[in-house]
Coordinates of all heavy atoms in Angstrom, one line a residue:
I1 N -7.5 6.7 2.4 CA -6.9 5.6 1.5 C -7.4 5.8 0.0 O -8.6 5.5 -0.2 CB -7.1 4.2 2.0 CG1 -6.7 4.0 3.4 CG2 -6.4 3.1 1.1 CD1 -5.2 4.1 3.7
Q2 N -6.5 6.3 -0.8 CA -7.0 6.6 -2.1 C -6.4 5.6 -3.3 O -6.8 5.6 -4.4 CB -6.7 8.0 -2.5 CG -7.5 9.0 -1.7 CD -7.2 10.5 -2.1 OE1 -6.0 10.8 -2.4 NE2 -8.2 11.3 -2.2
S3 N -5.4 4.8 -2.8 CA -4.8 4.0 -3.7 C -4.2 2.8 -3.0 O -4.1 2.8 -1.7 CB -3.7 4.7 -4.5 OG -2.6 5.1 -3.5
D4 N -3.7 1.7 -3.7 CA -3.0 0.6 -3.1 C -1.7 1.1 -2.4 O -1.3 0.6 -1.4 CB -2.8 -0.6 -3.9 CG -2.2 -0.2 -5.3 OD1 -1.4 0.6 -5.4 OD2 -2.8 -0.9 -6.3
E5 N -1.1 2.2 -3.0 CA 0.1 2.7 -2.5 C -0.1 3.4 -1.1 O 0.6 3.1 -0.2 CB 0.8 3.8 -3.3 CG 2.2 4.1 -2.9 CD 3.0 4.9 -3.9 OE1 2.4 5.2 -5.0 OE2 4.2 5.2 -3.7
D6 N -1.3 4.0 -1.0 CA -1.7 4.5 0.3 C -1.9 3.5 1.4 O -1.5 3.5 2.5 CB -2.9 5.4 0.2 CG -2.8 6.7 -0.6 OD1 -1.6 7.1 -0.7 OD2 -3.8 7.3 -0.9
F7 N -2.4 2.3 0.9 CA -2.7 1.2 1.7 C -1.5 0.6 2.4 O -1.4 0.4 3.6 CB -3.7 0.2 1.1 CG -4.1 -0.9 2.0 CD1 -5.0 -0.8 2.9 CD2 -3.4 -2.2 1.8 CE1 -5.4 -1.8 3.7 CE2 -3.8 -3.3 2.7 CZ -4.8 -3.1 3.6
V8 N -0.5 0.3 1.5 CA 0.7 -0.3 1.9 C 1.5 0.8 2.8 O 2.2 0.2 3.8 CB 1.6 -0.9 1.0 CG1 0.9 -2.0 0.2 CG2 2.0 0.2 -0.1
T9 N 1.4 2.0 2.6 CA 2.0 3.0 3.4 C 1.5 3.0 4.8 O 2.2 3.1 5.8 CB 1.9 4.4 2.8 OG1 2.6 4.4 1.5 CG2 2.6 5.5 3.6
Y10 N 0.1 2.8 4.7 CA -0.6 2.8 6.0 C -0.2 1.5 6.8 O 0.0 1.5 8.1 CB -2.1 2.8 5.9 CG -3.0 2.3 6.9 CD1 -3.0 3.0 8.1 CD2 -3.9 1.2 6.8 CE1 -3.8 2.7 9.3 CE2 -4.8 0.9 7.7 CZ -4.7 1.6 9.0 OH -5.6 1.3 10.0
L11 N 0.0 0.4 6.2 CA 0.4 -0.8 6.9 C 1.8 -0.6 7.5 O 2.1 -1.2 8.6 CB 0.4 -2.0 5.9 CG -0.9 -2.5 5.4 CD1 -0.8 -3.7 4.5 CD2 -1.8 -2.9 6.6
L12 N 2.7 0.0 6.6 CA 4.0 0.1 7.2 C 4.1 1.2 8.3 O 4.8 0.9 9.4 CB 5.0 0.7 5.9 CG 6.4 0.9 6.3 CD1 7.0 -0.4 6.9 CD2 7.2 1.3 5.1
E13 N 3.6 2.3 8.2 CA 3.5 3.4 9.2 C 2.8 3.1 10.4 O 3.2 3.3 11.6 CB 3.2 4.7 8.6 CG 4.0 5.3 7.5 CD 3.6 6.5 7.0 OE1 2.5 6.9 7.2 OE2 4.4 7.1 6.2
G14 N 1.6 2.4 10.2 CA 0.7 2.1 11.3 C 1.0 0.8 12.1 O 0.9 0.7 13.3
E15 N 1.4 -0.2 11.3 CA 1.6 -1.5 11.9 C 3.0 -2.1 11.8 O 3.2 -3.2 12.2 CB 0.6 -2.4 11.4 CG -0.9 -2.2 11.8 CD -1.1 -2.4 13.3 OE1 -0.3 -3.1 13.9 OE2 -2.3 -2.1 13.7
G16 N 3.8 -1.5 11.0 CA 5.1 -2.1 10.8 C 5.2 -3.3 9.9 O 6.0 -4.2 10.1
V17 N 4.2 -3.3 9.0 CA 4.3 -4.5 8.0 C 4.7 -3.8 6.7 O 4.0 -3.0 6.1 CB 2.9 -5.1 7.9 CG1 2.8 -6.2 6.8 CG2 2.6 -5.7 9.2
A18 N 5.6 -4.4 6.0 CA 6.3 -3.9 4.7 C 5.8 -4.8 3.6 O 6.2 -6.0 3.6 CB 7.7 -3.7 4.7
A19 N 5.0 -4.2 2.7 CA 4.4 -4.9 1.5 C 4.7 -4.0 0.3 O 5.1 -2.9 0.5 CB 3.0 -5.4 1.7
V20 N 4.4 -4.5 -0.9 CA 4.7 -3.8 -2.2 C 3.3 -3.6 -2.8 O 2.5 -4.4 -2.9 CB 5.6 -4.4 -3.1 CG1 5.9 -3.6 -4.2 CG2 6.9 -5.0 -2.4
H21 N 3.1 -2.3 -3.2 CA 1.8 -1.8 -3.7 C 1.6 -2.4 -5.2 O 2.5 -2.6 -5.9 CB 1.6 -0.4 -3.8 CG 2.7 0.4 -4.5 ND1 4.0 0.5 -4.0 CD2 2.6 1.1 -5.6 CE1 4.7 1.1 -4.9 NE2 3.9 1.6 -5.8
G22 N 0.3 -2.6 -5.5 CA 0.0 -3.2 -6.8 C 0.3 -2.5 -8.1 O 0.8 -3.0 -9.1
A23 N 0.4 -1.2 -7.9 CA 0.6 -0.3 -9.1 C 2.0 -0.5 -9.5 O 2.4 -0.4 -10.8 CB 0.5 1.2 -8.6
A24 N 2.9 -0.9 -8.7 CA 4.3 -1.2 -9.1 C 4.4 -2.4 -10.1 O 5.3 -2.5 -10.8 CB 5.2 -1.5 -8.0
F25 N 3.3 -3.2 -10.1 CA 3.3 -4.5 -10.8 C 2.3 -4.3 -12.1 O 2.1 -5.2 -12.7 CB 2.9 -5.8 -10.0 CG 3.8 -5.9 -8.8 CD1 3.4 -5.5 -7.5 CD2 5.0 -6.4 -9.0 CE1 4.2 -5.8 -6.4 CE2 5.8 -6.7 -7.9 CZ 5.6 -6.4 -6.7
G26 N 1.7 -3.1 -12.1 CA 0.9 -2.8 -13.3 C -0.6 -3.2 -13.2 O -1.3 -3.0 -14.1
L27 N -1.0 -3.5 -11.9 CA -2.4 -3.8 -11.7 C -2.9 -3.4 -10.3 O -2.4 -4.0 -9.4 CB -2.8 -5.3 -12.0 CG -4.3 -5.7 -12.1 CD1 -4.8 -5.0 -13.4 CD2 -4.5 -7.1 -12.1
S28 N -3.8 -2.5 -10.2 CA -4.4 -2.0 -8.9 C -5.9 -2.3 -8.8 O -6.4 -2.5 -9.9 CB -4.1 -0.5 -8.8 OG -2.8 -0.1 -8.8
P29 N -6.3 -2.3 -7.7 CA -5.9 -2.0 -6.4 C -5.4 -3.3 -5.6 O -6.3 -4.0 -5.1 CB -7.0 -1.4 -5.6 CG -8.3 -1.9 -6.1 CD -7.9 -2.4 -7.6

């Protein structure tokens, strides 16, 4: 896991939970 986008991808692929990564909103992680 190198970024918040990696983290939300992990949630979606691993557990079926869809959220939006913080980089899309201009502040990470």
